[in-house]
Amino acid sequence: AQSVTQLDSHVSVSEGTPVLLRCNYSSSYSPSLFWYVQHPNKGLQLLLKYTSAATLVKGINGFEAEFKKSETSFHLTKPSAHMSDAAEYFCVVSGVLTGGGNKLTFGTGTQLKVEL
Amino acid sequence: KAGVTQTPRYLIKTRGQQVTLSCSPISGHRSVSWYQQTPGQGLQFLFEYFSETQRNKGNFPGRFSGRQFSNSRSEMNVSTLELGDSALYLCASSLDPLTGGNTIYFGEGSWLTVV
């Protein structure tokens, strides 16, 4: 079984300050982990993914995430927030289903607000 | 390379009606999955198709069904619509994870409102 816990439902930062969105996961095997972003009235866009190569993963738009097995965490960070980063962010763990195919288990999402 | 395309983007239906949503995956992707997103339940897995076969199904009633065509395009159908079916329905495509393709790409979604 796999699960994801996003520790904050809302995060508010000022433009130009760092962003930290926290995610803990549970998986009975070596997981594939993702962060997706959803802007209002849009679908999900892949920010980055971890698949057991480097533990520090760089994504699009300056985001990165660090996989820490000992802490079962995969927190998303960005050094300097931009107004366009305001959106909902989902931490996701992927598993291969019994019949083949991927199944994504989503966290409940973190709404990021960026203020001037 | 075109992304995942979903149609229609927005639709309004009446309780008891049925609806069909369409999804064209990224070229070369043969796995198509569907998710329902609602404010109360978040994102939930509906089902996944590969090579015209439903490989996996989430915990949804039989009113939710789907199919996949030989060109990998997929449709999902919801019959006897209920108010609670109002949601954003997201289609996603990927290569077959059994051959290393575990990154899933999403479409923009179809917004269904049931009145």
Side-chain angles (χ1 to χ4, degrees):
Chain A
Q2 56 192 32
S3 65
V4 172
T5 302
Q6 289 185 245
L7 300 167
D8 307 291
S9 59
H10 293 82
V11 169
S12 183
V13 301
S14 298
E15 190 175 35
T17 64
V19 175
L20 170 64
L21 305 183
R22 299 182 295 166
C23 172
N24 287 349
Y25 71 91
S26 172
S27 178
S28 55
Y29 45 82
S30 183
S32 292
L33 294 161
F34 305 81
W35 277 97
Y36 285 86
V37 60
Q38 186 175 34
H39 288 91
N41 301 318
K42 295 287 188 180
L44 295 165
Q45 181 184 20
L46 179 67
L47 274 179
L48 50 81
K49 70 174 183 177
Y50 166 77
T51 53
S52 76
T55 56
L56 183 61
V57 182
K58 292 189 183 299
I60 62 171
N61 301 334
F63 284 95
E64 61 183 37
E66 185 171 9
F67 174 73
K68 291 187 177 180
K69 186 174 181 179
S70 61
E71 298 176 11
T72 60
S73 69
F74 190 57
H75 300 335
L76 181 70
T77 60
K78 182 173 180 178
S80 176
H82 191 272
M83 294 296 290
S84 61
D85 294 329
E88 188 154 25
Y89 292 79
F90 292 93
C91 182
V92 180
V93 60
S94 174
V96 179
L97 295 160
T98 303
N102 289 306
K103 179 189 173 184
L104 299 184
T105 300
F106 287 82
T108 49
T110 297
Q111 189 72 43
L112 175 64
K113 183 178 179 182
V114 182
E115 299 172 319
L116 285 171
Chain B
K1 199 174 194 180
V4 180
T5 305
Q6 292 187 244
T7 56
R9 291 293 319 281
Y10 304 91
L11 66 167
I12 300 173
K13 291 287 188 177
T14 304
R15 273 181 300 176
Q17 287 186 314
Q18 73 163 9
V19 66
T20 299
L21 309 177
S22 179
C23 172
S24 293
I26 291 172
S27 178
H29 286 190
R30 294 167 64 192
S31 172
V32 175
S33 49
W34 289 87
Y35 291 80
Q36 181 197 63
Q37 185 178 24
T38 60
Q41 300 297 317
L43 281 144
Q44 295 184 287
F45 172 74
L46 278 158
F47 29 65
E48 187 256 354
Y49 287 86
F50 183 83
S51 291
E52 303 178 64
T53 301
Q54 185 183 90
R55 290 199 293 194
N56 296 284
K57 188 173 178 4
N59 189 25
F60 278 81
R63 299 186 298 108
F64 291 81
S65 63
R67 59 178 176 169
Q68 186 181 34
F69 302 95
S70 58
N71 61 358
S72 294
R73 189 176 70 84
S74 176
E75 290 180 348
M76 68 163 283
N77 183 277
V78 187
S79 62
T80 320
L81 284 165
E82 300 176 359
L83 295 178
D85 297 333
S86 296
L88 175 64
Y89 290 88
L90 290 163
C91 172
S93 77
S94 69
L95 297 168
D96 186 6
L98 296 178
T99 55
N102 71 342
T103 300
I104 297 184
Y105 298 91
F106 285 84
E108 295 276 286
S110 292
W111 286 94
L112 170 64
T113 301
V114 182
V115 297

